[in-house]
Amino acid sequence: MSTISPASRTTPTPTADALTTAGVRILQSYLEGEWQEPAKGSAEPVPTFDASTGEPVALVGSDGLDLAAAVDYARTVGQASLGHLTFHQRALILKALAQHLNSDEVKSGLYEVSARTGATRRDSLVDVDGGIGVLFTYSSKGRRELPNAFAIVDGAPENLARDGSFGGQHLYARIPGVAFQVNAYNFPVWGMLEKFAPAFLAGVPSIVKPATPTAFLTEAAVRAIVDSGLLPEGSLQLVSGSVHGFLDLLDVRDVVGFTGSASTAAIFSGHANVLSGGVGLTCETDSLNAAILGPDAVAGTPEFDAFVASVVTEMTAKAGQKCTSIRRVIVPVSVMDAVIDAVGARIDARVTLGDPRAEGVTMGPLASTEQKAEVRRSVEALLAGGGRIAYGSLDEPRVTRADGTVSAAPSGAFLSPVLLRFDDADADAVHEVEAFGPVASVVGYRDLADAVRLANRGGGSLVATVASADASTVATLVTGIAPFHGRVLVLDRDDARSSTGHGSPVPHLVHGGPGRAGGGEELGGIRAVKHYMRRTALQGSPAVLTALTGQWRAGAGVQADLSGAGASWSSPSTASSPSTASSLSTASTASTASTASTASTASTASTASTASTASTASTGSVDPAGATGASGAEHPFRKPLSRLRLGDAIDSEAREISLDDIGHFAEFTGDTFYAHTDEEAAAANPFFPGRVAHGYLLISWAAGLFVDPAPGPVLANYGLENLRFLTPVSPGDAIRVTLTAKEITPREKEDYGEVRWDAVLHNQRDEVVATYDVLTLVSKE
Amino acid sequence: MSTISPASRTTPTPTADALTTAGVRILQSYLEGEWQEPAKGSAEPVPTFDASTGEPVALVGSDGLDLAAAVDYARTVGQASLGHLTFHQRALILKALAQHLNSDEVKSGLYEVSARTGATRRDSLVDVDGGIGVLFTYSSKGRRELPNAFAIVDGAPENLARDGSFGGQHLYARIPGVAFQVNAYNFPVWGMLEKFAPAFLAGVPSIVKPATPTAFLTEAAVRAIVDSGLLPEGSLQLVSGSVHGFLDLLDVRDVVGFTGSASTAAIFSGHANVLSGGVGLTCETDSLNAAILGPDAVAGTPEFDAFVASVVTEMTAKAGQKCTSIRRVIVPVSVMDAVIDAVGARIDARVTLGDPRAEGVTMGPLASTEQKAEVRRSVEALLAGGGRIAYGSLDEPRVTRADGTVSAAPSGAFLSPVLLRFDDADADAVHEVEAFGPVASVVGYRDLADAVRLANRGGGSLVATVASADASTVATLVTGIAPFHGRVLVLDRDDARSSTGHGSPVPHLVHGGPGRAGGGEELGGIRAVKHYMRRTALQGSPAVLTALTGQWRAGAGVQADLSGAGASWSSPSTASSPSTASSLSTASTASTASTASTASTASTASTASTASTASTASTGSVDPAGATGASGAEHPFRKPLSRLRLGDAIDSEAREISLDDIGHFAEFTGDTFYAHTDEEAAAANPFFPGRVAHGYLLISWAAGLFVDPAPGPVLANYGLENLRFLTPVSPGDAIRVTLTAKEITPREKEDYGEVRWDAVLHNQRDEVVATYDVLTLVSKE
């Protein structure tokens, strides 16, 4: 998206001194846990104005604020306070925060401020409620899709040794620095929260820098957040005003999230600390988003109507100041006129331009008069590049004032919707000039390949809509444009009413796009959380990998205690902070002490792994945890979470399966599949030697073999995963099961948690018959 | 890693003309499907030399070669030929290629050429066999972890509408351009194949540019590959020589993979086509990798010995010319002397420097005399920065010549192993100067926090080793350094023998690191394949998302045919190529034809979705496919893959469960858990109203309800996934199951494939009782 710097303001404005004298307040910044004002320094604060009336709102400046101290504060205090919270604990804070902002009192206050940016109630709904929705979604996804832990295990375990004594595991740990977030002016609340939420969930403190023209709304939102008292110290800081030179302060520990112009993004990308210093940078920039009307979607079809409605929505919502707005309306040459007429008619019927505080207004002004001038310049460039105005004009529009009267309002930032038409679909301007306001251009395509080519001429976009109900058309268009787009929406009669819309990023799906769109990705659920973490490949023995990941691996034995179960990631960064360095003597002590503990760990691991190997011959319940001397031969189902350890296991007796058993099971369940009931047919099957036991019989019997029937801490088996039947079981075979605690996830707000058990079924020849995970709920005490 | 440009050669060398006259051949490039030689142009070809003898090997130049045509050839011919192959088909080609290169004849030829680069047999094993191993691993992972399709579905389906009529799905599709791969001189075979394999599997053609000093080995490998005739046209091109200006030719369609110096990486990163043109760039550059010895790992422990052995291996293997070599040996201050002594003693005992073709030689020369000079300069810089030589020297070493004699060999690129010692662990040089040869430096740490701090002073590294058997030490060190490292290996007595080693990237795990290491990731199994694909969030109705992803979603109805089942991604990029554009009349025809097909698709979808909703009331087997008129009420288990369609379903009768059934099942299976057998205890459980049916009983009965028992195309149920029990089933409840074909994966080399079925169990109140996926093997015919 395009932004302009406050410096480009051309009309004379009152001086900061005059405004201060007139009672216009100076926006504060929230740094190092305190609200701070800029010093009276060399840089004058910049005034901001009500978008509809032109009245001054606030002065914005950061002169004298100590950005380096803020970065340090985030890296130390912020990292430490967030590091003590698990993903679930952070997620619950996000939920409480969302509820706080969602209260009538807080929200109505934000809506009032939002109106001063030119936002209608509907626009504020997208910005304010949309931002709160992001918090709710990340809270929910954080608890459902992440472990109640400090790091994220990525992908399957990799075994790298024949004997299983060495393996690998990818793991995401949070970055040890700060998330520096530079936002655009158009969504002062959503824009902040959509970056803050995933960073917070990852455990990384944010420094937020809003765009100046609407910084007063971001400040109001941060004030509401701070007042809630919900956030851990140092997890959120706000800089109102310039952050000139901030990249000089950052290094390989930190990441920057930027939404704004491609030119600014290129400056950031070219900074030495990004090019070679290791600062992570995610950009979301200009995007000439397209909407393509399929050849089947002729006038009169539901797709045509939905397409036209979408174009009008994207032109007028937020006065077209959305990175995701449709800029290029790509339609069959033959229906260009029909589309233009329909869009114009719908605007005439639906759109009332005016002060958002007036009754009946459906489209507000741009955010500032500078932006209005900028959009006009862009439209002039489009006209010079071959476009013609097909609807609307650049004249000063008549608008509904706050008091309901209708007149021109030159002091406001009003602009009429403008639809352009390019008869030359290949004109460079239409694919390169983004008029960041209520402006779109119609171009015609010859055939589907031409439509794909034109859409991709955007050089990478955030989103495109394909409106068609023809499967082949949809396939051709979507597959052709997907590699150039972050998001593609297929609009048809089935989803026209329920679609979340072309212009609305949803927190569940990635928001961003390749090339001109900045090459970044935001949102997308947990994907964005990982942007604030770093993936490392860990290699080691099963015991070490179990301790580091909190997921038990075969051969690991029993973990000594839960503190090793991934919990070591709770505050990794503090280890590199000199202030928390343990002393030399501590290290020496550890070194001495570790000799004993090392031996004990090693012996535990090898004992357990021996037990596990040797378990073939064992009968009855053997608990390798016995090797630690802590729990004897106690059945692991008798251990509440407080005592259960990764690696606690039961190795069952063997049970022989007869042909009668198989026949009986077939009869009882109704599963008379021939492999279980017809010897000859079963033998003809490429996978079976003859009649075999049902897979369901095997896992049912396995449950009978491992279960401990009396009431106890295990409350329920709520599911099963990754079941594979590896060796058929014939009559006369005997099966036994080994069940081992693999992952332990206490729930934050319940007195129980989830335990995942590794189940392995063997036959009497020690062949693996089946493997799976059993999912249970287990009491904490 | 450091590289030097041929231009920096300082000693006078024979001219290209003289060498050509002397019979030294000019390396060819393989472009546009042909072996080509550079034109006699303005740029003289650069000579390369045998690393041990200094004899000229080949001349390398690219003058007059048409790089732009090569890029265009990859984007058109290469994309088209790869686009017709599924992941599994490409994976099988990789396997055949690996087998071809692995043949004695081909491999011994490569080993012979490899020796000329200074590689010992062991070094060649890493380079040649290691490269072949990457092909095998990607072949295997491609078939096991990817669908037999053209695109990768990423993550779970997201539902975005209350009524389920709109949703989202992330999907990876290949980029529509070329993978341009600029490699380093140290691993001429592995370095090429580790980038080529994932790109090929993704379906993206490669242009490979080897580093000049060892380009003759890469050329030999490419010649073997081309001669195999296994690769589809345009999937691999080779440029021997300079590729000056190649970034000017690339755009948002393309990606660049670079291994080399940080300074070159910064130039690439700063190119406009990367900064704002959307060219993807992955870098793997300098890295001052650390190995940390834990305080517990004192002399005499297995960890101490393993640590010392690892340091020596990393100093001497490939003469230390590995991006992953240990450069910083970080040990407790108190054991610095012991470590230095042990490393020196092991080098003395184990390392014989010489021509790799001589018997008994265990360490060869550097790859070139330029590199030798460069390493000497780096060591001088380390000495100037506070280091002292603790073992070895910079003097011209005595070496074993090919004929077995021992003498100095100034014409070769030999250098003795050099171990430095820094008494000031904070000296900048040790953390910043990479001597890319048989050189490492020892520094001492005070405590664990100090060790972490020192390791992280590398500013981001590829890999670090932690040698310790103490769980707490391991946790502190690993969590402290992980965010600064791409890979962390924990070395202890349990994995010392089986470890793949500090310096060996394995294809299963990511290779790369943050900050100074380049910020990129390579390998890591399928993760690297995704580097050559682009993630797009698709939004649409269930029917549309099913057709685009090849994975059935609830509400989608039956797919019209398999061509829509994700197959539309087979050649997406061709749609954007003008040469394959369908004509205007085709589009018009499609438009006309689509009206009918649209209506039919829509009605199918809505009928099916109605049927699915209405199926509550239905009894017996209802096949929504009947709506298409194609298959009547045929049980989907009677359909081979050739006729089975996504969405083909069976909706079973209901079956009531009695208390006797539950009691009988408990007795038969032995699963007498109290929730099934003890009314009072069950009612006291927070999740159950009283005695409930076993989950295993429910899924066993469900199988009885959906199975079609007679022999037919369904061969076996090989597993089950994602089972969740959502509503307890009490005596008197009746369950029914809906089973729907969700994903169809034909196997390439078998006459059957895999079918994943979506299973949903309802009770008589239409509450969902359980959901899961049933995995089956089904015949193609």
Side-chain angles (χ1 to χ4, degrees), chain A residues 141 154-155 158 160-161 163 165-166 168 170 174 176 252-253 269-270 275 278 295-296 446-447 449 452 456 459 469-470 475 478-480 482-490 492-495 498-500 508-510 514-515 521 527 534-541 544 548 568-569 572 575-576 581-584 587 591 594 597-598 655 661 664-665 668-674 681 685 687-688 696 699-701 703-704 707-711 714-725 752 775 777, chain B residues 141 154-155 158 160-161 165-166 168 170 174 176 252-253 269-270 275 278 295-296 446-447 449 452 456 459 469-470 475 478-480 482-490 492-495 498-500 508-510 514-515 521 527 534-541 544 548 568-569 572 575-576 581-584 587 591 594 597-598 602 655 661 664-665 668-674 681 685 687-688 696 699-701 703-704 707-711 714-725 752 775 777:
Chain A
K141 283 192 171 281
D154 176 56
E158 297 282 356
L160 300 171
D163 64 358
S165 65
F166 185 70
H170 293 92
R174 63 177 181 155
V252 66
R253 292 172 282 185
S269 305
L275 279 188
D296 58 300
R446 294 186 307 277
D447 52 37
V452 166
N456 294 347
D470 176 63
V478 173
T479 58
F484 296 80
H485 289 81
R487 180 163 60 90
V488 174
L489 187 153
V490 179
D492 62 20
R493 61 199 69 190
D494 291 338
D495 65 15
S498 58
S499 160
T500 50
H508 316 68
L509 303 180
V510 292
E521 279 189 346
R527 294 170 186 83
R534 208 155 269 155
R535 176 154 62 188
T536 302
L538 303 176
Q539 291 179 296
S541 68
V544 164
L548 289 173
S568 39
W569 296 93
S576 57
S582 55
S583 69
L584 176 58
S591 159
S594 69
S597 101
T598 301
R655 181 172 178 188
D661 291 328
H664 176 73
F665 193 78
F668 176 68
T669 63
D671 181 354
T672 55
F673 191 61
Y674 70 95
N685 180 299
F687 302 107
F688 304 124
Y696 297 108
I699 59 173
S700 299
W701 277 29
V707 80
D708 186 66
V714 174
L715 300 169
N717 167 6
Y718 73 92
L720 186 151
E721 281 183 355
N722 307 321
L723 171 61
R724 290 292 182 282
F725 299 114
Y752 58 86
L775 311 179
L777 298 175
Chain B
K141 283 194 171 278
D154 175 57
E158 298 282 357
L160 301 171
S165 64
F166 185 70
H170 293 91
R174 65 176 179 155
V252 67
R253 291 171 282 185
S269 305
L275 280 188
D296 58 301
R446 294 187 308 276
D447 53 37
V452 166
N456 293 348
D470 177 62
V478 173
T479 57
F484 295 81
H485 290 81
R487 179 162 60 90
V488 174
L489 186 153
V490 179
D492 61 22
R493 61 200 67 191
D494 291 337
D495 64 15
S498 57
S499 161
T500 50
H508 316 69
L509 303 180
V510 292
E521 279 187 348
R527 293 170 187 83
R534 208 154 269 156
R535 175 154 65 188
T536 302
L538 303 175
Q539 291 180 295
S541 68
V544 163
L548 289 173
S568 39
W569 297 92
S576 58
S582 56
S583 69
L584 176 58
S591 160
S594 69
S597 100
T598 302
R655 182 173 176 188
D661 292 327
H664 175 72
F665 193 78
F668 175 70
T669 63
D671 182 355
T672 55
F673 191 61
Y674 71 93
N685 179 299
F687 303 106
F688 304 125
Y696 298 108
I699 57 174
S700 299
W701 277 29
V707 79
D708 187 66
V714 174
L715 301 169
N717 167 7
Y718 73 92
L720 184 151
E721 282 185 354
N722 307 321
L723 171 61
R724 289 294 181 282
F725 299 115
Y752 58 87
L775 311 180
L777 298 175

Side-chain angles (χ1 to χ4, degrees), chain B residues 458-523:
Chain B
S461 306
L462 294 171
V463 53
T465 282
V466 168
S468 169
D470 177 62
S472 156
T473 299
V474 168
T476 301
L477 292 176
V478 173
T479 57
I481 69 174
F484 295 81
H485 290 81
R487 179 162 60 90
V488 174
L489 186 153
V490 179
L491 194 62
D492 61 22
R493 61 200 67 191
D494 291 337
D495 64 15
R497 293 175 63 90
S498 57
S499 161
T500 50
H502 170 102
S504 299
V506 294
H508 316 69
L509 303 180
V510 292
H511 171 54
R516 192 197 300 267
E521 279 187 348
E522 295 178 337
L523 299 175

Side-chain angles (χ1 to χ4, degrees), chain A residues 258-462:
Chain A
F258 171 68
T259 302
S261 72
S263 54
T264 306
I267 292 168
F268 288 177
S269 305
H271 191 283
N273 284 353
V274 174
L275 279 188
S276 35
V279 174
L281 173 62
T282 297
C283 294
E284 195 260 274
T285 60
D286 303 1
S287 180
L288 288 145
N289 312 293
I292 310 176
L293 185 67
D296 58 300
V298 295
T301 61
E303 288 73 28
F304 183 90
D305 295 342
F307 181 85
V308 167
S310 182
V311 169
V312 173
T313 297
E314 296 305 320
M315 287 176 71
T316 58
K318 202 71 196 176
Q321 301 166 106
K322 296 197 301 184
C323 313
T324 50
S325 289
I326 296 169
R327 302 291 171 208
R328 297 178 298 146
V329 181
I330 302 177
V331 304
V333 169
S334 57
V335 298
M336 287 177 77
D337 291 332
V339 168
I340 289 167
D341 290 349
V343 168
R346 191 173 171 97
I347 294 174
D348 287 342
R350 302 272 187 131
V351 178
T352 303
L353 184 61
D355 186 318
R357 286 154 293 212
E359 195 76 25
V361 163
T362 57
M363 174 176 157
L366 297 174
S368 67
T369 49
E370 290 86 351
Q371 194 54 30
K372 177 178 168 181
E374 171 72 18
V375 174
R376 276 183 165 157
R377 279 194 295 274
S378 299
V379 173
E380 297 290 357
L382 287 164
L383 294 173
R388 286 187 288 135
I389 292 185
Y391 178 89
S393 88
L394 291 180
D395 297 344
E396 205 61 57
R398 288 172 64 81
V399 301
T400 304
R401 316 290 297 256
D403 60 7
T405 60
V406 176
S407 65
S411 60
F414 294 98
L415 200 66
S416 146
V418 173
L419 186 67
L420 299 160
R421 174 195 181 110
F422 280 79
D423 287 318
D424 175 8
D426 272 308
D428 289 341
V430 71
H431 302 293
E432 290 172 8
V433 177
E434 184 190 27
F436 201 72
V439 182
S441 301
V442 178
V443 299
Y445 69 80
R446 294 186 307 277
D447 52 37
L448 293 185
D450 196 39
V452 166
R453 192 182 59 78
L454 290 172
N456 294 347
R457 276 210 59 189
S461 306
L462 295 170

Side-chain angles (χ1 to χ4, degrees), chain A residues 542-703:
Chain A
V544 164
L545 292 175
T546 296
L548 289 173
T549 61
Q551 293 193 359
W552 180 86
R553 290 167 76 105
V558 182
Q559 286 294 297
D561 60 57
L562 263 180
S563 72
S568 39
W569 296 93
S570 59
S571 265
S573 67
T574 57
S576 57
S577 155
S579 63
T580 58
S582 55
S583 69
L584 176 58
S585 63
T586 309
S588 308
T589 313
S591 159
T592 315
S594 69
T595 312
S597 101
T598 301
S600 136
T601 308
S603 90
T604 306
S606 60
T607 310
S609 106
T610 309
S612 157
T613 314
S615 67
T616 310
S618 77
T619 56
S621 163
V622 170
D623 181 358
T628 65
S631 50
E634 190 179 12
H635 191 293
F637 276 24
R638 306 242 60 86
K639 297 186 181 183
L641 294 194
S642 60
R643 290 196 292 118
L644 189 67
R645 299 290 172 262
L646 294 181
D648 274 344
I650 166 152
D651 204 0
S652 85
E653 296 182 36
R655 181 172 178 188
E656 188 176 318
I657 293 179
S658 70
L659 192 57
D660 277 356
D661 291 328
I662 298 171
H664 176 73
F665 193 78
E667 193 186 346
F668 176 68
T669 63
D671 181 354
T672 55
F673 191 61
Y674 70 95
H676 317 302
T677 54
D678 181 335
E679 185 66 27
E680 196 178 335
N685 180 299
F687 302 107
F688 304 124
R691 289 173 68 176
V692 295
H694 302 69
Y696 297 108
L697 185 158
L698 300 176
I699 59 173
S700 299
W701 277 29

